[in-house]
Amino acid sequence: MPGISTAVYQEIQLFYARQMRLLDEGDTMAWAQTFEPDGVFDATALPEPVRGRDVIESSARKAWEAMAADGIQRRHWLGMLDAQEQDDGTLVARTYALVFTTPRGGGSALQVSTTCEDVLARAGGALRVRYRTVHRDGQPGGREA
Amino acid sequence: MPGISTAVYQEIQLFYARQMRLLDEGDTMAWAQTFEPDGVFDATALPEPVRGRDVIESSARKAWEAMAADGIQRRHWLGMLDAQEQDDGTLVARTYALVFTTPRGGGSALQVSTTCEDVLARAGGALRVRYRTVHRDGQPGGREA
Amino acid sequence: MPGISTAVYQEIQLFYARQMRLLDEGDTMAWAQTFEPDGVFDATALPEPVRGRDVIESSARKAWEAMAADGIQRRHWLGMLDAQEQDDGTLVARTYALVFTTPRGGGSALQVSTTCEDVLARAGGALRVRYRTVHRDGQPGGREA
């Protein structure tokens, strides 16, 4: 199986830790900056991919505000990272992703189990998401072409 | 406590990510190749260890087909990795392992919490499992000698 | 964002794997040694921080014995690690932390979702916790000053 350097593997782990905490704590502006300006967020449960950093930001903010209004804290766990460097310098990173939620004063619960596949590229040294595909377990495989 | 190199620690993380995804997505042939030909899978809940790659494969396939028939997607999460290099060149890797399941169209749930201890060895550069012991939390400690 | 070396990032992952397993398996003496002699464990749900290795040990032992008496196995999962080296040589490590419990003969369950922030320092080469802050999701933000 194709390799990945130790340093880059760890860099992706750190990238995800920081990226998902930004989202979970409501800093959707900073979170959107972790995507390329024309990055794509493709959750296969949605009718179509969300295209562009601005739309990714407003869509994430709406979702976050709805949960905050309900007093719900969300936590994204990405793990079981597989990653490969591509010939064009991008990275393909595949993870399992769980979402846990906790209502104010209540108990924590597993919300969904998903798989995430990212194409990551560098800009000024930092990783950014070019294309993210999230598929929720238990749902049909993908959109019709 | 004995050390492990950064590179090998990361290599084990990647090994587990790829290995468990093979199992979770039903490629039990490729999954069985991640064991040595005479590798052992010892789940202490079972009456005896499963010995040999062929039996490991057929046993995993049977389990996977039963779940697929029920429309259940399984995800193995290994984490909290502790690992040590042994004098004979093998590695001992200890992890916590959770199994999450999601029925078609349904909600995800934690199935079991276990601990996993592997003896890993190299063949042609790649890691393979020589002996895996899985102990399920909440069950008696082990088999009678 | 400030960096962290690959080697130190991995070292922290290994530190947490070993530290939390000591706690989960009841070796609270060895667990307490992973704190500095005057280390602090600050769970914001408690009226005040627990100060000093001896008190950390006895408090952990009491909690562990209560669960063992009820036949409950606890597992701490730390993940989504973000870490930075500070100018004074200490490390700040931020993680998500989940606690899963399994009663004897019963099913496993998610107990709590928390965030953990550690100040880690070195003693004789090994990492130790100087100050740990644990905040439980769904609870108020912190103590009154």
Side-chain angles (χ1 to χ4, degrees):
Chain A
M1 287 181 285
I4 181 105
S5 80
T6 302
V8 174
Y9 188 88
Q10 177 266 309
E11 184 185 6
I12 299 171
Q13 290 184 321
L14 179 57
F15 172 75
Y16 284 143
R18 290 179 174 171
Q19 187 195 41
M20 300 319 297
R21 189 181 279 255
L22 291 172
L23 180 61
D24 291 340
E25 303 193 342
D27 191 349
T28 53
M29 284 303 288
W31 184 72
Q33 300 299 315
T34 65
F35 287 78
E36 291 193 329
D38 55 355
V40 179
F41 188 115
D42 186 358
T44 61
L46 298 182
E48 52 182 36
V50 178
R51 292 176 187 281
R53 195 185 267 170
D54 294 349
V55 191
I56 290 172
E57 195 279 327
S58 63
S59 146
R61 186 158 34 85
K62 221 170 292 174
W64 193 84
E65 285 172 353
M67 279 182 307
D70 289 342
I72 291 169
Q73 173 68 58
R74 194 169 51 160
R75 298 284 172 198
H76 287 79
W77 280 67
L78 273 62
M80 302 298 283
L81 170 65
D82 183 8
Q84 298 169 26
E85 309 207 41
Q86 307 294 104
D87 287 341
D88 65 359
T90 62
L91 301 162
V92 172
R94 306 167 78 208
T95 47
Y96 287 177
L98 300 171
V99 182
F100 297 95
T101 53
T102 310
R104 194 177 295 123
S108 300
L110 172 61
Q111 204 64 20
V112 292
S113 169
T114 71
T115 51
C116 178
E117 181 168 325
D118 279 346
V119 177
L120 303 174
R122 279 181 200 285
L127 293 176
R128 293 197 305 202
V129 179
R130 177 165 295 176
Y131 202 105
R132 169 165 294 178
T133 309
V134 177
H135 179 253
R136 185 168 163 173
D137 287 341
Q139 302 298 314
R143 230 167 267 123
E144 297 296 314
Chain B
M1 287 181 285
I4 182 104
S5 81
T6 302
V8 174
Y9 189 88
Q10 177 266 311
E11 185 185 5
I12 299 171
Q13 290 184 320
L14 179 57
F15 173 75
Y16 284 143
R18 290 179 173 172
Q19 187 195 41
M20 300 319 297
R21 190 181 278 254
L22 291 173
L23 180 61
D24 291 341
E25 303 193 342
D27 191 349
T28 53
M29 284 303 289
W31 183 73
Q33 301 299 315
T34 65
F35 287 78
E36 291 193 329
D38 55 353
V40 180
F41 189 114
D42 186 358
T44 61
L46 298 181
E48 52 181 37
V50 178
R51 292 177 187 282
R53 194 185 268 171
D54 294 349
V55 191
I56 290 172
E57 195 278 327
S58 62
S59 146
R61 186 158 35 86
K62 221 170 293 173
W64 193 83
E65 285 172 354
M67 279 182 309
D70 289 342
I72 292 168
Q73 174 68 57
R74 194 170 51 162
R75 298 286 172 198
H76 287 79
W77 281 68
L78 273 62
M80 301 300 280
L81 170 66
D82 183 9
Q84 298 170 25
E85 309 208 40
Q86 307 294 104
D87 288 341
D88 65 0
T90 62
L91 301 163
V92 172
R94 306 168 78 206
T95 47
Y96 286 177
L98 300 172
V99 182
F100 297 95
T101 52
T102 310
R104 195 176 295 123
S108 300
L110 172 62
Q111 203 64 21
V112 293
S113 169
T114 71
T115 51
C116 178
E117 181 168 325
D118 279 345
V119 178
L120 303 173
R122 279 181 201 285
L127 293 176
R128 293 197 306 201
V129 178
R130 177 164 295 174
Y131 202 105
R132 169 166 294 177
T133 309
V134 177
H135 179 254
R136 184 169 163 172
D137 286 342
Q139 303 297 314
R143 230 167 266 123
E144 297 296 313
Chain C
M1 285 180 287
I4 181 105
S5 81
T6 302
V8 174
Y9 189 89
Q10 177 266 309
E11 185 185 4
I12 300 171
Q13 290 184 320
L14 179 56
F15 173 75
Y16 283 143
R18 289 179 174 171
Q19 187 196 39
M20 299 319 296
R21 189 181 280 256
L22 291 172
L23 180 62
D24 291 340
E25 303 194 342
D27 191 350
T28 52
M29 285 303 289
W31 183 72
Q33 300 299 315
T34 66
F35 287 78
E36 291 193 330
D38 55 354
V40 180
F41 188 114
D42 186 359
T44 61
L46 298 182
E48 53 181 37
V50 178
R51 293 177 185 281
R53 194 185 267 171
D54 294 349
V55 191
I56 289 172
E57 195 280 326
S58 62
S59 147
R61 186 157 36 86
K62 222 169 291 174
W64 193 84
E65 286 172 353
M67 279 182 308
D70 289 342
I72 292 169
Q73 174 68 58
R74 195 169 50 161
R75 299 283 173 199
H76 287 79
W77 280 68
L78 273 62
M80 300 300 281
L81 170 65
D82 183 8
Q84 298 170 26
E85 309 207 42
Q86 307 293 106
D87 287 342
D88 65 359
T90 62
L91 301 162
V92 173
R94 307 169 78 208
T95 47
Y96 287 177
L98 300 171
V99 182
F100 297 95
T101 52
T102 311
R104 194 177 295 125
S108 300
L110 172 61
Q111 204 63 21
V112 292
S113 169
T114 71
T115 51
C116 178
E117 180 168 324
D118 279 345
V119 177
L120 303 174
R122 280 181 200 285
L127 294 176
R128 292 197 306 201
V129 178
R130 178 165 295 176
Y131 203 104
R132 169 166 295 178
T133 309
V134 177
H135 178 254
R136 185 168 164 172
D137 287 341
Q139 303 297 314
R143 228 166 268 123
E144 298 295 315

